[in-house]
């Protein structure tokens, strides 16, 4: 014990003067439309630590030693640097390897180029260089978007950051997120099908075990308003809670439960258990759908500086998109409510198809597989 | 000791340096290049010519084959921490952290790993976290000598001298007399007992089992106490003896450079630190020395600009470990008293070593910050601190 103590005393006693520059890499990314261009400066010492550059082990790293490892450097760096826009990955390539000198030594400079298939207000970056090798390492990002530059720091604890989004001013940012919200409800078939499944019976009433046309537009409208309001209030609550990271649920669980909610809503039209209290179901399942919206919002990335504004914009966009669907649905449904086609085709057939489709989602999401590709593979 | 260097009128230098640092701070990255030939040497690794670091590299490679083997991980972490301390290079701290990572998740961290984590936290100036680990360790194993010594050191840095001395007292039964005396001398000398602590340290019997590192550490403490007591000849002797034992030790070099700067020996400092420009703390002392040397004007401008860039880089990565050094840089190199006093105040809220107090007082005087001065005066009075450097403004400042 004593011997070891004496050997260790110096290292473990004096407060070290950590005075060297720490391990940093510098990432500069400029966005112009869908195109990303930039450079990544990585210290040669860090690369040597991760993949080995000093081939002849003489303690000196020469350009020749770096040059022959160009492929290995790219193969190390690129998989550890992911960028995505609107939840869709922006593939990156490294086009060139050069050298630059910073105050603390030589750096390998990778020239980067990429394209984002989806337009989103922010760019989400996932940076994992030297993960597990050097927890002291930091990635220093300079993101240039529309002439404005944003900086962020990646650490071992925060490898994922969303940047940009607030560049065009608060109003434009609000509008961008509102637009994304509309887009999300319209393209999110699960939410639309759920809502429609609950709305289809709104122009009908249940009498003696069968659906018959309801008499007044007022009653039908009231039913629609009750369902839509309950759904809106519920998903707004959970969207906010999840976006602010107050409540977090695993996305696979949420997505599966959303699929289940669609199945149940459709089956309820075929064999009604809840006929006139559908707004209660809309509220209960709406809570789940809010978590789903939050997942989509996370994919877009929320600028930390103006979280509330973006969240409100997105939520309002979702409501506006939903209202538009209702405004198209209600008159059409009300006018055709007494027809055979409405009751048999729209309500009956539509609910069967919805239940079938949503069941497929449920299986896919719960078991993380694709039903059709699994069938096709047989 | 060399001749006193003439103090240079600082304005010309500040003007030149202002320009240089403005250039350094401007986001104008040089264009990357393709070196002229394969033979161009781009970087020299610290392992070059250092057998201990070469051994560390081999041991890390060996650990990578079995990262869950504590018999491999512990020596790697210890050696890496040692390198982080002697070289002042945080990359080695990262290596120590990475080696220990498999044991640091969860609640039941094994004792040796907990000690090393406390040391890493201390190195990152997370003193509260380090104390949590050390308290837990010592509650379970009160006779863990290394943990007591480390806790005494952390408690000293944060200014809890009485608590530190209690740990050192416990060490008399657990470690060699020199270790116990050196442990106690620091906090004792900062809490009104400098004379007794100094003599107890000099009188402590040296044992054959006391390693070179322990001897060097004890000599450095003796030198710092002697300098604070105004015994400059004694301090010079201790510094030289310590330097003979550990010529590469960055902490010791920095302490000796400070001592020489206070004595007006800028030329000796420039020679001592000529090859240490990669270490920010030593580069700062080098620049302070060059500021006083008329023939080092070019080097001073370059080094000042480098320092500005380094502090800027540290701020960009969210680092607050170098506030003491940065305060000194803002005050003594850039002449920005208000920035300096803000940094010195923030630094003082975290660590309370004599150098932290000194920069607080100097920056507060320059910025006419009566509140900071009162805070410093109260600390000196409560702890009955004796420090020659605080009594009178140092020469050539």
């Amino acid at each position: 014990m004593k011997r070891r103590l004496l050997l260790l005393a110096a290292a473990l006693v004096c407060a070290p003067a950590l005075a060297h520059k720490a391990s940093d890499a510098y990432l500069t990314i400029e966005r112009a439309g869908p195109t990303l261009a930039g450079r990544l400066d990585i210290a040669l010492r860090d690369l040597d630590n991760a993949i080995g550059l000093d081939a002849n082990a003489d303690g000196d790293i020469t350009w020749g030693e770096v040059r022959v490892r160009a492929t290995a450097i790219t193969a190390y760096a690129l998989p550890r640097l992911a960028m995505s826009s609107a939840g869709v990955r922006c593939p990156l390539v490294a086009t060139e390897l050069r050298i630059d000198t910073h105050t603390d030594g030589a750096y390998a400079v990778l020239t980067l180029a990429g394209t984002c298939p989806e337009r989103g207000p922010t760019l989400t970056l996932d940076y994992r260089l030297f993960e597990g090798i050097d927890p002291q390492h930091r990635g220093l990002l300079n993101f240039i978007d529309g002439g404005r530059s944003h900086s962020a720091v990646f650490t071992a604890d925060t490898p994922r950051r969303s940047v940009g989004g607030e560049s065009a001013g608060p109003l434009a940012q609000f509008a961008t997120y509102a637009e994304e919200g509309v887009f999300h409800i319209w393209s999110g078939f699960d939410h639309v099908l759920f809502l429609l499944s609950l709305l289809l019976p709104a122009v009908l009433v249940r009498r003696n075990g069968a659906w018959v046309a309801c008499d007044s537009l007022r009653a039908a409208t009231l039913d629609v308003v009750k369902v839509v309001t309950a759904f809106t209030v519920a998903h707004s609550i959970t969207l906010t809670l999840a976006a602010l990271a107050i409540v977090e649920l695993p996305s696979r669980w949420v997505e599966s439960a959303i699929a289940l909610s669609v199945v149940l809503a459709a089956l309820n039209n075929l064999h009604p258990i809840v006929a006139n209290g559908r707004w209660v179901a809309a509220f209960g399942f709406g809570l789940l759908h809010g978590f789903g919206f939050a997942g989509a919002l996370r994919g877009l990335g929320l600028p930390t500086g103006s979280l509330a504004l973006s969240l409100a914009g997105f939520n309002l966009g979702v409501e506006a998109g939903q209202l538009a669907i209702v405004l198209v649905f209600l008159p059409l449904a009300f006018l055709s409510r007494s027809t055979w086609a409405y009751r048999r085709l729209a309500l009956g057939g539509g609910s069967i198809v919805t239940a079938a489709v949503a069941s497929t989602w449920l299986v896919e999401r719960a078991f993380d597989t694709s039903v059709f590709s699994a069938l096709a593979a047989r | 000791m060399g001749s006193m260097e003439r103090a240079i009128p600082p304005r010309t230098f500040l003007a030149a340096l202002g320009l240089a640092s403005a250039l350094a701070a401007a986001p104008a990255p040089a264009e990357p290049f393709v070196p002229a030939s394969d033979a161009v040497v781009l970087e020299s690794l610290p392992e070059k010519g250092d057998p201990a670091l070469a051994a560390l590299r081999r041991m890390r490679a060996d650990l990578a084959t079995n990262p869950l083997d504590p018999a491999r991980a512990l020596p790697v972490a210890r050696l890496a921490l040692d390198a982080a301390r002697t070289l002042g290079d945080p990359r080695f701290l990262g290596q120590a952290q990475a080696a220990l990572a498999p044991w640091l998740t969860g609640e039941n961290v094994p004792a040796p790993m907990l000690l090393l984590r406390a040391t890493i936290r201390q190195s990152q100036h997370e003193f509260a976290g380090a104390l949590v680990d050390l308290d837990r360790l010592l509650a379970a194993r009160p006779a863990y000598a290394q943990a007591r010594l480390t806790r005494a050191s952390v408690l000293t840095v944060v200014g809890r001298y009485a608590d530190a001395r209690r740990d050192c007292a416990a060490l008399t039964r657990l470690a060699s007399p020199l270790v116990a005396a050196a442990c106690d001398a620091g906090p004792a000398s900062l809490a009104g007992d400098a004379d007794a602590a100094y003599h107890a340290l000099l009188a402590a019997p040296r044992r054959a089992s006391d390693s070179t590192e322990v001897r060097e550490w004890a000599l450095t403490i003796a030198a710092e106490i002697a300098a604070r007591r105004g015994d400059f000849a004694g301090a010079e002797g201790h510094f030289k003896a310590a330097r003979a034992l550990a010529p590469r030790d960055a902490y010791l070099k920095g302490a000796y450079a400070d001592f020489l700067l206070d004595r007006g020996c800028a030329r000796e400092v420039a020679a001592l630190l000529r090859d240490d420009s990669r270490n920010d703390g030593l580069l700062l002392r080098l620049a302070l020395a060059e500021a006083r040397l008329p023939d080092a004007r070019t080097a001073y401008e370059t080094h000042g600009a480098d320092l500005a860039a380094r502090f800027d880089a540290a701020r960009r990565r969210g680092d607050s470990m170098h506030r003491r050094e940065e305060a000194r840089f803002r005050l003594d190199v850039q002449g920005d008293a208000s920035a300096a006093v803000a940094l010195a105040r923030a630094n003082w809220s975290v660590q309370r070593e004599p150098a932290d107090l000194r920069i607080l007082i100097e920056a507060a005087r320059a910025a006419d910050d009566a509140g900071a001065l009162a805070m410093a005066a109260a600390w000196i009075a409560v702890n009955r601190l004796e420090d020659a450097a605080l009594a009178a403004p140092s020469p050539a400042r």
Side-chain angles (χ1 to χ4, degrees):
Chain A
M1 182 67 227
K2 193 171 278 188
R3 174 152 288 275
R4 220 179 67 194
L5 159 76
L6 300 179
L7 286 174
L8 282 173
L12 299 183
V13 173
C14 302
L18 287 179
H20 271 251
K21 193 179 160 309
S23 165
D24 295 324
Y26 300 90
L27 175 63
T28 307
I29 293 290
E30 187 161 7
R31 179 163 73 171
T35 319
L36 301 176
R39 64 185 259 195
L40 174 60
D41 295 26
I42 316 170
L44 292 183
R45 270 188 73 187
D46 291 331
L47 281 172
D48 176 66
N49 190 19
I51 59 171
L53 294 179
D54 186 16
N56 61 2
D58 66 349
D60 284 332
I61 298 174
T62 63
W63 169 238
E65 285 170 331
V66 175
R67 196 177 49 77
V68 297
R69 298 286 278 157
T71 318
I73 292 170
T74 309
Y76 177 80
L78 284 191
R80 289 169 177 79
L81 177 64
M83 299 184 197
S84 59
S85 168
V88 179
R89 185 81 173 255
C90 312
L92 284 178
V93 289
T95 55
E96 206 177 353
L97 170 68
R98 287 175 296 170
I99 298 295
D100 198 0
T101 335
H102 291 239
T103 60
D104 62 328
Y107 282 59
V109 180
L110 290 175
T111 307
L112 302 174
T115 310
C116 295
E118 290 288 331
R119 186 196 54 82
T122 61
L123 186 70
T124 300
L125 297 100
D126 193 289
Y127 177 99
R128 295 178 190 274
L129 269 78
F130 310 110
E131 188 175 64
I133 295 177
D134 183 358
Q136 298 284 322
H137 176 77
R138 303 276 183 274
L140 306 185
L141 169 72
N142 182 23
F143 175 59
I144 304 152
D145 188 21
R148 298 241 325 231
S149 98
H150 311 260
S151 55
V153 181
F154 302 102
T155 70
D157 297 328
T158 53
R160 210 178 153 81
R161 307 294 300 259
S162 294
V163 288
E166 66 273 78
S167 41
L171 203 67
Q173 186 196 348
F174 184 84
T176 311
Y177 277 88
E179 196 185 321
E180 292 294 338
V182 173
F183 178 77
H184 184 73
I185 186 112
W186 285 356
S187 62
F189 294 113
D190 44 3
H191 307 301
V192 176
L193 284 181
F194 176 76
L195 194 61
L196 286 180
S197 297
L198 290 178
L199 292 181
L200 279 170
V203 292
L204 307 171
V205 285
R206 196 78 183 160
R207 269 185 211 135
N208 307 324
W211 290 112
V212 295
C214 88
D215 305 328
S216 75
L217 178 61
R218 197 168 165 273
T221 310
L222 192 68
D223 198 58
V224 166
V225 168
K226 266 161 51 180
V227 167
V228 171
T229 307
F231 185 59
T232 303
V233 169
H235 74 225
S236 299
I237 293 172
T238 46
L239 168 60
T240 307
L241 290 178
L244 301 179
I246 297 168
V247 181
E248 283 176 282
L249 293 178
S251 93
R252 187 161 149 196
W253 193 91
V254 168
E255 293 301 319
S256 307
I258 289 174
L260 180 67
S261 75
V262 181
V263 176
L264 294 178
L267 290 181
N268 188 58
N269 292 343
L270 302 171
H271 295 282
I273 297 165
V274 187
N276 297 321
R278 277 174 292 104
W279 68 271
V280 180
F283 185 85
F285 289 121
L287 293 172
L288 279 173
H289 285 251
F291 284 108
F293 292 135
L297 187 55
R298 208 170 305 126
L300 287 176
L302 274 175
T304 39
S306 45
L307 186 91
L309 191 71
S310 319
L311 178 61
F314 185 80
N315 203 350
L316 225 75
V318 168
E319 312 319 342
Q322 189 177 287
L323 194 66
I325 293 172
V326 171
L327 288 178
V328 173
F329 164 83
L330 186 59
L332 288 178
F334 191 76
L335 292 175
S336 59
R337 71 192 190 285
S338 342
T339 62
W340 174 87
Y342 186 81
R343 268 171 291 166
R344 290 291 160 198
L345 279 184
L347 182 66
S351 295
I352 290 170
V353 171
T354 301
V357 170
S359 302
T360 317
W361 290 338
L362 178 57
V363 173
E364 285 182 350
R365 293 172 183 184
F367 300 103
D368 199 16
T369 171
S370 168
V371 170
F372 290 105
S373 65
L375 290 176
R378 290 196 172 182
Chain B
M1 300 254 298
S3 60
M4 289 265 292
E5 300 295 343
R6 189 174 58 88
I8 304 299
R11 290 293 148 207
T12 345
F13 280 98
L14 288 177
L17 204 82
L19 176 67
S21 55
L23 287 174
E31 191 57 25
F33 60 95
V34 174
S37 89
D38 279 1
V40 175
V41 174
L42 301 171
E43 187 71 82
S44 289
L45 298 172
E47 287 83 0
K48 189 179 179 178
D50 189 325
L53 292 185
L56 172 61
R57 197 182 171 94
R58 283 192 300 276
M59 287 159 64
R60 288 181 61 226
D62 182 44
L63 174 64
T65 64
N66 188 354
L68 298 179
D69 178 8
R72 286 180 168 93
L74 279 173
V76 165
R78 290 195 186 112
L79 251 184
L81 271 173
D82 201 17
R85 189 192 71 85
T86 36
L87 302 174
D89 188 337
R91 278 186 171 90
F92 291 104
L93 202 62
Q95 293 183 5
Q97 246 179 321
L100 296 173
W103 292 273
L104 297 187
T105 54
E107 271 303 289
N108 292 316
V109 180
M113 280 76 174
L114 201 56
L115 173 68
L116 293 173
R117 178 168 77 184
T119 312
I120 291 170
R121 288 182 161 171
Q122 175 199 10
S123 313
Q124 296 179 291
H125 297 203
E126 288 171 25
F127 301 118
L131 286 174
V132 168
D133 282 350
L134 292 166
D135 290 349
R136 212 169 102 197
L137 200 51
L138 285 166
R141 294 176 60 179
Y144 200 161
Q146 181 70 69
R148 283 229 177 257
L149 190 53
T150 305
R151 188 167 73 179
S153 150
V154 178
L155 290 168
T156 305
V157 173
V158 298
R160 287 169 56 186
Y161 304 126
D163 293 334
R165 296 193 71 182
R166 256 192 294 283
D167 276 332
C168 297
L171 268 183
T172 49
R173 286 169 284 111
L174 303 170
S176 78
L178 182 60
V179 169
C183 176
D184 190 57
S189 73
L190 298 172
D193 257 343
D195 192 59
Y198 181 64
H199 288 107
L201 177 57
L202 293 193
R206 269 64 175 163
R207 295 264 167 88
S209 62
D210 289 327
S211 69
T212 311
E213 280 151 308
V214 166
R215 288 163 196 267
E216 179 239 325
W217 169 56
L219 282 166
T220 307
I221 291 172
E224 290 176 323
I225 298 175
R228 282 199 293 272
R229 298 175 71 227
D231 173 10
F232 302 130
E236 175 84 25
H238 296 313
F239 273 126
K240 284 197 161 143
R243 294 264 308 133
L245 293 177
R248 290 187 68 187
D249 189 305
Y251 177 84
L252 174 57
K253 272 190 184 180
Y256 187 41
D258 284 343
F259 172 76
L260 291 175
L261 283 170
D262 283 345
R263 305 274 69 70
C265 307
R267 199 162 294 284
E268 282 76 3
V269 172
L272 174 71
L273 303 179
R274 189 182 302 121
D275 300 322
D276 288 304
S277 62
R278 279 204 178 190
N279 181 317
D280 304 345
L282 299 184
L283 179 61
L284 171 66
R285 276 104 174 185
L286 181 59
L288 292 175
E290 286 162 350
R292 302 181 196 165
L293 298 173
D295 52 346
R297 187 175 294 238
T298 323
Y300 171 57
E301 283 166 15
T302 313
H303 288 148
D306 277 356
L307 275 171
R310 301 247 189 110
F311 286 124
D312 188 52
R315 209 180 359 267
R316 273 189 74 188
R317 88 195 298 270
D319 216 336
S320 58
M321 283 196 302
H322 301 104
R323 284 189 289 222
R324 180 207 290 174
E325 285 75 22
E326 192 176 353
R328 224 172 135 183
F329 172 72
R330 298 281 171 229
L331 183 67
D332 290 345
V333 178
Q334 294 193 323
D336 184 348
S338 61
V341 79
L343 285 160
R345 272 171 166 272
N347 176 61
W348 181 250
S349 69
V350 178
Q351 52 181 40
R352 302 187 163 187
E353 291 186 286
D356 303 306
L357 184 63
R358 180 168 171 184
I359 183 61
L360 180 67
I361 291 173
E362 289 177 356
R365 277 184 190 147
D368 279 330
D369 185 336
L373 279 175
M375 199 158 65
W379 181 263
I380 293 172
V382 166
N383 292 294
R384 296 179 292 134
L385 179 70
E386 307 157 51
D387 191 341
L390 298 181
S394 57
R397 279 213 183 208

